[in-house]
Amino acid sequence: MSSLHLRGTVLPDGDVRDIWVLGDRLTFTRPSQFSTTVHDGGFILPGLVDAHAHLGHDPATMTFDPALFTAAGLGYAGDGTTLLRVPGHRVPIPPDLRDRPDLPRLVTAGPWLAWDGLQELDDLQTVPADLPAAGVAEALANDGWCKTYGDWEFDRPKTPEPVLRALCDAVHAVGGRVAAHCQTAEGTRNAVLAGVDSIEHAWFLTPDLLTVLAARGGAVTPTWTGFVPHVDVVRTKPEGPRKDWFLDGVASLRAATVDAWEAGVTVLAGTDSLGHGDVAGEVGHLVAAGLPPAAAVGAACWDARRYLGFAGIEEGAPADLVAVAADPRVTPEVLRHPSLILLRGRSVKQG
């Protein structure tokens, strides 16, 4: 079996190294097999990550469509995004899609699980009679994650802390983790104090909550991409509590994004997209919020991979790589112009 050879500045460490690709694995030891050099120079980083994506769901009906999933996955792969966390999907992702060599790797969480006190939610959510048992079942059936809600609308009940705590305790007991939708001050506080691992959307986080989250190695996924396009339109709406809630929530996200990183909380780049999300665009939003460019790239790359249990560029790691001409830690816009993309050891783009 022949191998592929790359040489460049490997991120995030910044060392110039030679890398060989044997099948779907990386090695720093030159193999005896014939090697084809596919990249020499520039910067090499692990494949990008969208840590909050709902690809494959029809926007009108929210039904899962394998064709939509495939199209979105191919779009992600073509941008250099090789790993997707899907925190909420209507049906199990079929094995033939999970294992397709031309589609990104997946971390799934099963269906959206809601507390029965939120029964006024739309029919997207599953409302199990036993929320902790359902969370355990989904964590075991998927990739160690389940997805729940700290809240929904600003004027709806918030999931009580004891309810969330029972869910977290049960899921943690089997080695799983919990992600929670959080867009109100009460819902966010309840989720953090109850033990939720990953705070999705992350509105109204405060420094005291971030200290708690950091102490247990938690994460926040701001999903700026889901909010920024709506801000100008919402500002034109009549005054009222819904408008205030949205604008105040988005405004709170700016400080929380930076404060989370400074507190030692893992910041994850997520687009909240039903289709092919723009991960490079989410990196740009993180930078605009005040995150240093290197931290913003890490949120979509090495930090996200580590948090989700995937190796970066190291001996024996999966062969998911992106090569760019300039240092994305200085110029993150270069992520839009990869010169090489490898997914599962196969070339997606080379030029």
Side-chain angles (χ1 to χ4, degrees):
M1 180 177 64
S2 63
S3 62
L4 302 179
H5 169 243
L6 303 84
R7 180 175 175 82
T9 301
V10 175
L11 299 182
D13 294 339
D15 299 326
V16 177
R17 302 198 68 173
D18 290 282
I19 304 170
W20 286 269
V21 179
L22 290 171
D24 186 23
R25 295 294 146 179
L26 304 179
T27 181
F28 298 122
T29 301
R30 182 170 186 159
S32 58
Q33 297 97 326
F34 173 78
S35 295
T36 302
T37 298
V38 295
H39 182 81
D40 190 358
F43 293 80
I44 304 171
L45 58 157
L48 301 181
V49 181
D50 188 339
H52 191 121
H54 300 293
L55 70 165
H57 293 87
D58 182 276
T61 65
M62 285 304 293
T63 55
F64 181 82
D65 184 332
L68 292 176
F69 181 95
T70 300
L74 292 173
Y76 272 117
D79 285 348
T81 303
T82 65
L83 175 60
L84 307 172
R85 183 178 62 156
V86 188
H89 42 96
R90 296 299 295 268
V91 297
I93 308 299
D96 61 322
L97 293 181
R98 291 192 65 112
D99 299 334
R100 270 186 59 158
D102 56 348
L103 296 182
R105 303 176 199 268
L106 299 177
V107 173
T108 60
W112 296 263
L113 301 175
W115 166 57
D116 59 11
L118 293 177
Q119 287 186 8
E120 295 180 1
L121 293 175
D122 57 42
D123 62 1
L124 172 67
Q125 293 81 12
T126 298
V127 184
D130 188 334
L131 183 59
V136 167
E138 294 306 334
L140 293 176
N142 287 275
D143 297 288
W145 284 90
C146 73
K147 170 70 177 297
T148 191
Y149 291 84
D151 48 45
W152 188 236
E153 298 285 352
F154 73 99
D155 55 354
R156 304 262 185 103
K158 316 305 181 288
T159 307
E161 181 187 336
V163 172
L164 290 171
R165 184 176 297 279
L167 170 63
C168 291
D169 287 349
V171 173
H172 292 162
V174 298
R177 292 190 282 184
V178 179
H181 173 110
C182 296
Q183 286 186 255
T184 67
E186 182 182 350
T188 298
R189 176 168 291 275
N190 288 349
V192 172
L193 297 182
V196 165
D197 301 278
S198 180
I199 305 298
E200 307 303 304
H201 314 304
W203 288 10
F204 303 109
L205 277 167
T206 53
D208 61 317
L209 295 178
L210 290 169
T211 299
V212 173
L213 195 58
R216 64 167 176 265
V220 298
T221 317
T223 64
W224 278 98
T225 299
F227 305 129
V228 170
H230 305 293
V231 170
D232 288 343
V233 174
V234 171
R235 284 182 176 141
T236 68
K237 300 294 184 181
E239 299 303 319
R242 178 173 295 277
K243 177 179 179 178
D244 292 343
W245 165 64
F246 181 87
L247 294 179
D248 290 348
V250 175
S252 76
L253 197 54
R254 185 172 300 277
T257 298
V258 177
D259 290 348
W261 174 72
E262 291 180 341
V265 175
T266 298
V267 177
L268 302 173
T271 67
D272 200 16
S273 175
L274 300 180
H276 166 207
D278 182 2
V279 175
E282 182 67 16
V283 170
H285 290 315
L286 292 172
V287 172
L291 213 60
V297 175
C301 192
W302 45 82
D303 291 335
R305 295 182 71 87
R306 180 175 62 249
Y307 184 77
L308 295 174
F310 286 75
I313 299 179
E314 57 190 68
E315 185 68 33
D320 298 340
L321 300 174
V322 174
V324 291
D327 191 342
R329 299 171 300 178
V330 179
T331 311
E333 296 83 2
V334 75
L335 294 176
R336 293 199 178 277
H337 308 287
S339 57
L340 176 73
I341 299 169
L342 294 182
L343 169 59
R344 305 177 192 255
R346 298 156 59 101
S347 178
V348 176
K349 176 179 180 180
Q350 185 176 343

